[in-house]
Amino acid sequence: MAFGFCNVLPFSSFLDENENGLRWSCMASHRVGPVGETGLSDSGPSNPHVPYSVFHGSNVPTSFINQEGSAFDFRELEEAIVLQGVKIRNDEAKAPLFTGRPAATLEMFPSWPMRFQTTPRVGSSKSGGESTDSGSAVNTFSSKAEVQLESESPISNKASSSDHQAFDHQKHLQLQQQQIQQEMANDRSRAGPSQNQSDVKAPQEKRKGSGGSSSTSEKQLDAKTLRRLAQNREAARKSRLRKKAYVQQLESSRMKLTHIEQDLQRARAQGLFLGGCGGAGGNLSSGAAIFDMEYARWLEDDHRLMAELRTGLHAHLSDGDLRLIVEGYISHYDEIFRLKGVAAKSDVFHVITGLWMTPAERCFLWIGGFRPSDLIKMLIGQLEPLTEQQLVGIYRLQQSTQQAEEALSQGQEQLQQSLIETIAAAGPVIDGMQQMVVALGKLSNLEGFVRQADNLRQQTLHQLRHVLTIRQAARCFLVIGEYYGRLRALSSLWASRPRESLMSEDHNSCQTTATDHLQIVHQSAHNHFSTF
Amino acid sequence: MHYQAAEYSWGYYMPVRSIGPDPLERVVRLASESAVVIFSVSSCCMCHAVKRLFCGMGVNPTVYELDQDPRGKEIERALVRLLGNSPGSVPVVFIGGKLIGAMDRVMASHINGTLVPLLKEAGALWL
């Protein structure tokens, strides 16, 4: 900010002091600028929108600041200015800034002390009571028309004409700012003192009413207390307004939430219906949304069924009873493959790119889902003890899944190659459209690959059930469920991991991070390790 | 792999008439002529996948590209009728003259371990 004024004292130094010790300086002067714009700005000293033209005088502030003997309450000043600004804004459509008023601002800091008056807080949007009370605490000028604070000290004249205010050098700046504000207010109607008097009428009256003692010190004390009171009221009012705004926000969010929940219920019901009809109707995005909801419900069922498996295993149920539970779990998986098939019909990209999965699961994505051979690899260590025959069966299963995966991957690769050629084939517009149509036709093959991949996954799970005994199968599915549960948990843990500062370079910080993660994992993932 | 024009059979060209107007008959006859028969379309990626599957297992299937056969359309229609409610017409696989089905059936039979014995039985695999 190019204010000569600011060279006098650094801005930050003012922030360091407490409120009472806050010395008026650039800060306050900054306030003057955007008063008409900001209106109810906050009381913090953080307004960067200071018009460049406001303070040209560089010599004046020094003398002014030196004159300041005691602590200045900036907040009050600021609020007074703000209120004045709001009043101005309410009074006029446009709040004129300091365009073309360099002369006035230059003259704002004369070398002589200036008189001041209470700020007119009437007519603003504030409550009447507020303005009545606080008006007396803020000083202002009576005259705006002539902000000629030069040799003739018109302020004093105005002060005398509007009120008999004792001069308090603490309020110099306040005075000046008020003056400028009033000047702004009266930009169009340079009615002179009368205008200003009407502006300051109420506070003047209040000032008078507050006991027009002629003694400076009395007024000073009085004014101080009154100022503080006004400040408190202002702060209270602001926080009331803030609270109101917040409550309104909460209310609207609540309404939105209930609406969304209702939509969700409706869509869920529709999803069931549409799922039964084979995914008929709906556009692509709705198919994806429906599937996401169905998948979320499937996950809930998964938790429930896994709990059943767990209790079934621990309770040492008979094979027959356990078989029922295992069959139920396999049907549960059949269901998700069916749902994926329906979803692939309406939105194949959603399914094949795994948008419905958590990021960690998506890491291992293969044609819209998990890779069956990866699953077998994971299970081989967990299923012991196995008989010789079972081991052979498992290894055969591993080999056949690998061969099938390889075949499907190569088929998909050929599809991609063919698509690349089709899309890249340049030609005139008509031919280009033709190529697009051809490409569309080729894209439709994606659904077939998703179906075949899901088919492979389904067959793998069925085959596992056949190779293993019923108890082994129960344990196997529990392991699978917990494995993917952990993968999903990994995604959320990763998303919420503490971001260590990138500044530290030593390895210890990495160790610390890992330890922190370990603690998080221990706290949240206890049940994931029960079966393993 | 071993591509073959549908009319070529037993080392000599049979007169078109004697093949018969019934495409289904043709299909059955062609299927019984080789251990592993795949009806395919050259541009179909799923057909490519099924071919890669058998080659990966060390099998040498006989492939009929229906888009290169003048009467391929009829055969396609016949295959669709044969398969029932299959999404596409090709690929269709016969092993030892017996219909295995489309890709999903082939994959399922491979996973549940029935494909390899069939191949061995048909003489397509030795091990």
Side-chain angles (χ1 to χ4, degrees):
Chain A
M1 290 180 275
F3 298 100
F5 201 45
C6 294
N7 296 334
V8 178
L9 285 167
F11 183 75
S12 57
S13 67
F14 296 99
L15 297 175
D16 293 340
E17 302 183 54
N18 59 23
E19 294 170 28
N20 291 334
L22 198 60
R23 299 198 170 266
W24 187 86
S25 73
C26 306
M27 254 283 276
S29 66
H30 299 172
R31 282 288 163 207
V32 185
V35 164
E37 301 165 0
T38 57
L40 283 175
S41 60
D42 61 355
S43 53
S46 59
N47 192 338
H49 305 294
V50 191
Y52 174 82
S53 61
V54 172
F55 301 109
H56 293 281
S58 52
N59 53 344
V60 176
T62 312
S63 59
F64 180 78
I65 283 182
N66 291 340
Q67 285 167 3
E68 249 199 351
S70 53
F72 185 79
D73 195 343
F74 174 75
R75 178 184 291 183
E76 186 189 43
L77 166 65
E78 182 224 335
E79 290 176 358
I81 293 162
V82 162
L83 285 170
Q84 187 63 16
V86 170
K87 178 189 178 303
I88 291 167
R89 197 159 56 160
N90 290 341
D91 291 342
E92 305 168 3
K94 291 176 278 187
L97 295 177
F98 295 112
T99 52
R101 294 205 177 281
T105 58
L106 272 174
E107 291 139 15
M108 247 185 49
F109 308 102
S111 49
W112 60 87
M114 300 190 300
R115 295 185 196 164
F116 55 91
Q117 290 172 347
T118 55
T119 308
R121 288 198 177 195
V122 303
S124 66
S125 56
K126 316 301 176 292
S127 61
E130 288 269 357
S131 52
T132 307
D133 292 332
S134 55
S136 58
V138 184
N139 302 313
T140 187
F141 302 112
S142 57
S143 167
K144 245 345 167 67
E146 307 89 43
V147 189
Q148 316 293 332
L149 304 179
E150 282 186 337
S151 49
E152 49 186 350
S153 84
I155 299 302
S156 54
N157 293 341
K158 296 298 176 256
S160 59
S161 66
S162 57
D163 198 358
H164 47 76
Q165 300 307 326
F167 169 72
D168 184 358
H169 63 81
Q170 277 187 350
K171 291 154 185 130
H172 284 178
L173 188 62
Q174 216 175 18
L175 200 63
Q176 292 158 4
Q177 296 204 2
Q178 291 306 322
Q179 194 179 27
I180 290 183
Q181 292 160 33
Q182 291 202 13
E183 199 178 39
M184 282 166 51
N186 301 322
D187 187 25
R188 294 176 196 167
S189 59
R190 294 185 130 244
S194 57
Q195 174 77 27
N196 299 324
Q197 279 177 3
S198 66
D199 287 344
V200 306
K201 201 182 296 134
Q204 290 166 23
E205 286 165 356
K206 295 162 210 153
R207 192 75 173 120
K208 282 179 189 157
S210 67
S213 152
S214 53
S215 135
T216 304
S217 56
E218 266 185 23
K219 274 214 170 70
Q220 194 171 348
L221 286 172
D222 220 15
K224 215 182 220 169
T225 318
L226 290 167
R227 228 187 7 256
R228 284 211 200 93
L229 286 172
Q231 175 189 337
N232 289 341
R233 272 187 292 271
E234 184 57 29
R237 192 181 54 78
K238 276 192 180 167
S239 64
R240 274 199 297 277
L241 285 169
R242 271 198 298 268
K243 180 184 174 184
K244 190 180 172 191
Y246 178 67
V247 166
Q248 271 171 0
Q249 227 178 7
L250 280 180
E251 289 285 335
S252 64
S253 302
R254 205 167 61 87
M255 292 299 295
K256 230 192 284 184
L257 186 66
T258 49
H259 283 147
I260 290 173
E261 273 177 356
Q262 282 168 4
D263 289 341
L264 191 69
Q265 292 297 333
R266 227 177 294 129
R268 229 187 195 188
Q270 277 175 5
L272 272 178
F273 178 82
L274 282 175
C277 292
N283 53 19
L284 291 180
S285 63
S286 77
I290 287 170
F291 176 72
D292 285 353
M293 281 192 318
E294 293 293 332
Y295 179 62
R297 195 143 46 97
W298 186 85
L299 281 177
E300 289 170 16
D301 291 342
D302 198 54
H303 284 304
R304 185 175 47 83
L305 288 168
M306 273 177 54
E308 262 185 51
L309 272 173
R310 211 176 280 122
T311 52
L313 273 173
H314 292 151
H316 299 284
L317 290 179
S318 71
D319 278 6
D321 293 339
L322 207 53
R323 184 181 304 277
L324 282 173
I325 301 176
V326 169
E327 299 285 342
Y329 197 75
I330 291 178
S331 310
H332 171 68
Y333 262 99
D334 289 346
E335 177 64 15
I336 191 63
F337 293 129
R338 186 187 68 79
L339 289 170
K340 280 174 77 181
V342 167
K345 274 192 174 62
S346 70
D347 192 345
V348 67
F349 286 121
H350 182 76
V351 178
I352 206 170
T353 54
L355 292 174
W356 49 278
M357 295 172 148
T358 60
E361 289 174 291
R362 216 178 295 141
C363 218
F364 303 98
L365 186 71
W366 176 77
I367 312 185
F370 66 84
R371 192 181 276 269
S373 58
D374 282 349
L375 192 70
I376 306 291
K377 247 182 267 178
M378 185 272 290
L379 285 170
I380 277 177
Q382 311 287 337
L383 294 175
E384 282 142 14
L386 294 171
T387 68
E388 184 89 19
Q389 194 183 11
Q390 283 177 329
L391 265 174
V392 167
I394 296 290
Y395 277 111
R396 272 208 189 125
L397 180 59
Q398 189 180 29
Q399 191 183 31
S400 55
T401 52
Q402 276 169 346
Q403 284 169 344
E405 281 166 26
E406 184 61 30
L408 281 179
S409 297
Q410 288 194 21
Q412 196 191 26
E413 247 177 66
Q414 203 209 35
L415 176 62
Q416 282 173 345
Q417 275 304 314
S418 163
L419 260 172
I420 289 171
E421 285 164 19
T422 304
I423 295 170
V429 175
I430 296 175
D431 279 1
M433 281 314 298
Q434 191 112 18
Q435 292 293 76
M436 293 304 265
V437 169
V438 172
L440 277 174
K442 291 184 178 175
L443 268 182
S444 63
N445 288 308
L446 275 178
E447 191 209 321
F449 279 97
V450 173
R451 275 197 62 241
Q452 294 305 328
D454 278 347
N455 178 39
L456 186 63
R457 290 183 261 264
Q458 188 177 21
Q459 294 302 319
T460 306
L461 293 174
H462 283 240
Q463 183 64 9
L464 273 172
R465 190 260 312 250
H466 286 129
V467 170
L468 303 170
T469 66
I470 201 63
R471 294 201 73 80
Q472 285 170 330
R475 267 194 79 243
C476 170
F477 288 119
L478 204 54
V479 163
I480 291 173
E482 285 185 359
Y483 175 78
Y484 286 111
R486 283 193 214 177
L487 213 50
R488 285 188 285 269
L490 200 62
S491 291
S492 5
L493 288 172
W494 180 258
S496 59
R497 75 192 186 285
R499 315 279 165 145
E500 292 288 320
S501 163
L502 299 173
M503 308 287 245
S504 62
E505 291 153 340
D506 57 332
H507 294 295
N508 290 339
S509 66
C510 302
Q511 303 286 338
T512 315
T513 312
T515 319
D516 291 340
H517 292 170
L518 203 56
Q519 286 170 355
I520 297 168
V521 169
H522 275 147
Q523 287 160 18
S524 65
H526 172 69
N527 63 334
H528 288 292
F529 295 84
S530 58
T531 305
F532 277 77
Chain B
M1 206 162 347
H2 166 206
Y3 291 86
Q4 195 164 327
E7 286 82 4
Y8 188 78
S9 183
W10 299 116
Y12 61 95
Y13 284 99
M14 298 184 59
V16 173
R17 237 176 257 273
S18 66
I19 289 172
D22 185 9
L24 196 58
E25 242 182 63
R26 258 187 85 198
V27 163
V28 169
R29 195 177 54 76
L30 290 170
S32 57
E33 286 169 5
S34 312
V36 179
V37 173
I38 303 177
F39 289 98
S40 154
V41 167
S42 54
S43 59
C44 166
C45 329
M46 200 54 81
C47 302
H48 181 75
V50 83
K51 291 175 212 167
R52 304 278 3 125
L53 177 66
F54 283 111
C55 294
M57 293 194 289
V59 173
N60 187 22
T62 303
V63 179
Y64 294 106
E65 301 285 5
L66 297 179
D67 55 331
Q68 292 162 2
D69 188 307
R71 298 171 62 182
K73 280 273 181 255
E74 294 176 5
I75 297 177
E76 263 190 74
R77 280 193 291 270
L79 288 171
V80 168
R81 277 198 305 268
L82 198 63
L83 291 176
N85 58 342
S86 184
S89 56
V90 285
V92 179
V93 174
F94 288 82
I95 297 179
K98 285 193 303 213
L99 173 68
I100 303 299
M103 185 58 154
D104 54 347
R105 293 289 316 128
V106 172
M107 302 265 275
S109 89
H110 189 35
I111 296 301
N112 64 25
T114 56
L115 190 66
V116 168
L118 274 173
L119 288 167
K120 285 187 182 168
E121 204 183 302
L125 258 185
W126 298 277
L127 261 169

